[in-house]
């Protein structure tokens, strides 16, 4: 009985250790998807799978990086030395490639995620009001 218990405890300890070495980031794409803006989430998922570098090689994800799409949220689980900033860089690159960068921006919505938001574009109404005051 003692040997089986020790093996189980050792296995559970290794699982806990593996979870500590993982980071989880999310990218919320709900706004452009719900507006039918031309943003394709599956294409974005494919882009990330192709472009993320592991050990200076693209397409070398294996078990190091897991990318999953849930409805309108992209979830990236990666082993520890993985930068949130790198994920933002790739997202911006995807938006630029598909000519969406002029309307969408990538904004942090917490410590572990980003959100795609529209730029706040205001009409020339404010400049006209300022001129009238003078």
């Amino acid at each position: 009985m003692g040997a089986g218990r020790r093996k189980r405890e050792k296995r559970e300890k290794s699982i806990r250790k593996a979870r500590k070495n993982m980071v989880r980031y999310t990218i919320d794409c709900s706004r452009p998807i719900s507006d039918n803006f031309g943003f394709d989430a599956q294409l974005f998922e494919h882009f990330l799978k192709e472009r993320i570098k592991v050990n200076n090689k693209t397409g070398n994800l294996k078990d190091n990086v897991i990318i999953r799409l849930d409805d309108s949220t992209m979830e990236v689980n990666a082993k520890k030395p993985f930068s949130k900033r790198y994920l933002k860089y790739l997202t911006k690159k995807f938006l630029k490639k598909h000519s969406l960068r002029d309307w969408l921006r990538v904004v942090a919505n917490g410590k572990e995620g980003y959100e795609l938001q529209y730029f706040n574009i205001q009409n020339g109404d404010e400049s006209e009001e300022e001129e009238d005051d003078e």
Side-chain angles (χ1 to χ4, degrees):
M1 282 258 206
R5 182 176 174 196
R6 277 186 253 137
K7 284 183 181 181
R8 186 176 63 237
E9 288 175 356
K10 188 176 180 180
R11 187 174 40 238
E12 289 173 358
K13 186 177 178 182
S14 67
I15 290 171
R16 281 193 304 258
K17 188 176 180 181
R19 286 184 184 159
K20 282 185 181 179
N21 291 333
M22 297 289 282
V23 289
R24 179 178 164 221
Y25 298 119
T26 58
I27 302 173
D28 184 13
C29 310
S30 58
R31 288 186 183 174
I33 290 175
S34 65
D35 293 341
N36 294 327
F37 189 66
F39 183 87
D40 187 6
Q42 281 132 359
L43 197 60
F44 181 47
E45 179 185 20
H46 181 69
F47 178 84
L48 288 177
K49 285 182 180 178
E50 283 183 344
R51 298 293 173 106
I52 289 179
K53 285 187 176 182
V54 176
N55 297 329
N56 293 327
K57 295 178 184 175
T58 57
N60 189 21
L61 300 182
K62 297 182 185 173
D63 294 334
N64 296 325
V65 180
I66 300 166
I67 301 171
R68 200 172 77 220
L69 176 65
D70 295 331
D71 296 329
S72 61
T73 303
M74 187 75 57
E75 186 177 306
V76 179
N77 293 316
K79 288 196 176 173
K80 211 39 169 229
F82 189 82
S83 172
K84 179 181 169 189
R85 184 79 177 106
Y86 181 56
L87 203 54
K88 182 175 183 178
Y89 163 76
L90 289 173
T91 304
K92 289 167 78 172
K93 194 170 186 172
F94 174 80
L95 293 174
K96 184 71 174 177
K97 182 178 178 183
H98 294 282
S99 303
L100 299 171
R101 184 82 179 99
D102 295 334
W103 293 279
L104 292 171
R105 63 187 183 142
V106 185
V107 179
N109 64 353
K111 191 174 181 180
E112 296 179 348
Y114 287 111
E115 181 178 2
L116 296 180
Q117 294 182 350
Y118 292 106
F119 280 109
N120 292 331
I121 301 173
Q122 299 184 5
N123 297 334
D125 298 338
E126 287 183 14
S127 61
E128 291 175 8
E129 290 175 8
E130 291 174 7
E131 291 173 5
D132 293 340
D133 290 339
E134 294 176 3

